[in-house]
Amino acid sequence: MSAQILIVEDEIKIARVLQLELEYDGYRAEIAHDGVQGMEMATAGGWDLILLDIMLPRLNGIEVLRRFRRKNEQTPVLLLTARDTVLDKVMGLDQGANDYITKPFEIEEVLARIRANLRFSSKKGEVEEDRLTVADLTLNPKTREVRRGEKEVHLTPREFDLLYYLMRH
């Protein structure tokens, strides 16, 4: 079964080009043209990956990401935006984005980043064990809970994914 990708992009031509390219590569893609519609579709579930613009009408992409991450920490979200300052990138990644792609972009790079994120997220889904332990650090991949000894450690989604990767490898 091909991966399902949600494109949340208000520029109709860009959204359509992305959809056509993704479908040509064998993905199933749907489009939302504003933040409210994107949030509704994202939380409805069933997505393997979400491409999310930041500057959206009705509800900006960072707020969509923030709300979505409260409900779903595992689906990869790639920010696709014209905002290219270091502060914008840091803010997006700290809010839970898995990657940040600036416009204008080359479609080959977008497709490569999608493949990389889908590979990583599919490996996370294969975990069967209840927890990983290194010294007194314990990580539960199913509940995304981390403990050092008896104390709970709070991590951003990105920090959790990095720690998970390091503990697995």
Side-chain angles (χ1 to χ4, degrees):
M1 184 173 164
S2 62
Q4 294 192 80
I5 299 175
L6 174 61
I7 303 163
V8 186
E9 169 64 62
D10 62 322
E11 293 182 46
I12 294 169
K13 289 181 182 178
I14 291 175
R16 185 65 179 141
V17 166
L18 285 167
Q19 183 181 36
L20 290 172
E21 289 288 346
L22 290 169
E23 288 174 349
Y24 181 79
D25 259 32
Y27 300 107
R28 294 178 49 205
E30 291 187 39
I31 300 170
H33 290 291
D34 65 59
V36 172
Q37 182 188 22
M39 185 66 203
E40 289 170 358
M41 290 176 73
T43 56
W47 307 106
D48 296 300
L49 185 135
I50 298 172
L51 286 174
L52 177 63
D53 189 9
I54 290 180
M55 295 182 288
L56 294 167
R58 298 179 61 199
L59 187 64
N60 75 54
I62 294 296
E63 187 59 28
V64 171
L65 176 62
R66 186 177 298 125
R67 293 179 188 184
F68 180 69
R69 281 294 180 232
R70 284 187 212 135
K71 299 174 190 289
N72 181 320
E73 293 183 346
Q74 295 183 342
T75 301
V77 177
L78 282 64
L79 293 178
L80 189 63
T81 180
R83 300 183 71 153
D84 63 355
T85 68
V86 172
L87 183 61
D88 288 326
K89 293 175 186 178
V90 168
M91 183 175 59
L93 294 169
D94 282 347
Q95 291 300 321
N98 297 80
D99 208 342
Y100 196 103
I101 305 166
T102 56
K103 297 176 188 176
F105 54 82
E106 295 292 330
I107 194 64
E108 292 82 9
E109 180 183 1
V110 173
L111 293 171
R113 289 175 185 252
I114 288 170
R115 287 190 299 271
N117 277 278
L118 288 173
R119 265 194 315 271
F120 183 70
S121 69
S122 69
K123 288 179 184 174
K124 286 194 313 187
E126 294 169 4
V127 174
E128 295 299 323
E129 64 270 15
D130 287 342
R131 29 180 83 84
L132 298 172
T133 304
V134 175
D136 68 336
L137 187 64
T138 304
L139 179 144
N140 185 328
K142 292 180 182 172
T143 63
R144 297 183 67 87
E145 180 181 82
V146 177
R147 293 191 166 280
R148 176 164 294 279
E150 294 299 314
K151 184 179 177 190
E152 186 173 0
V153 179
H154 298 282
L155 300 174
T156 66
R158 182 65 132 189
E159 291 169 337
F160 179 89
D161 291 343
L162 180 60
L163 179 62
Y164 173 81
Y165 177 84
L166 293 171
M167 290 178 76
R168 291 272 301 170
H169 296 92

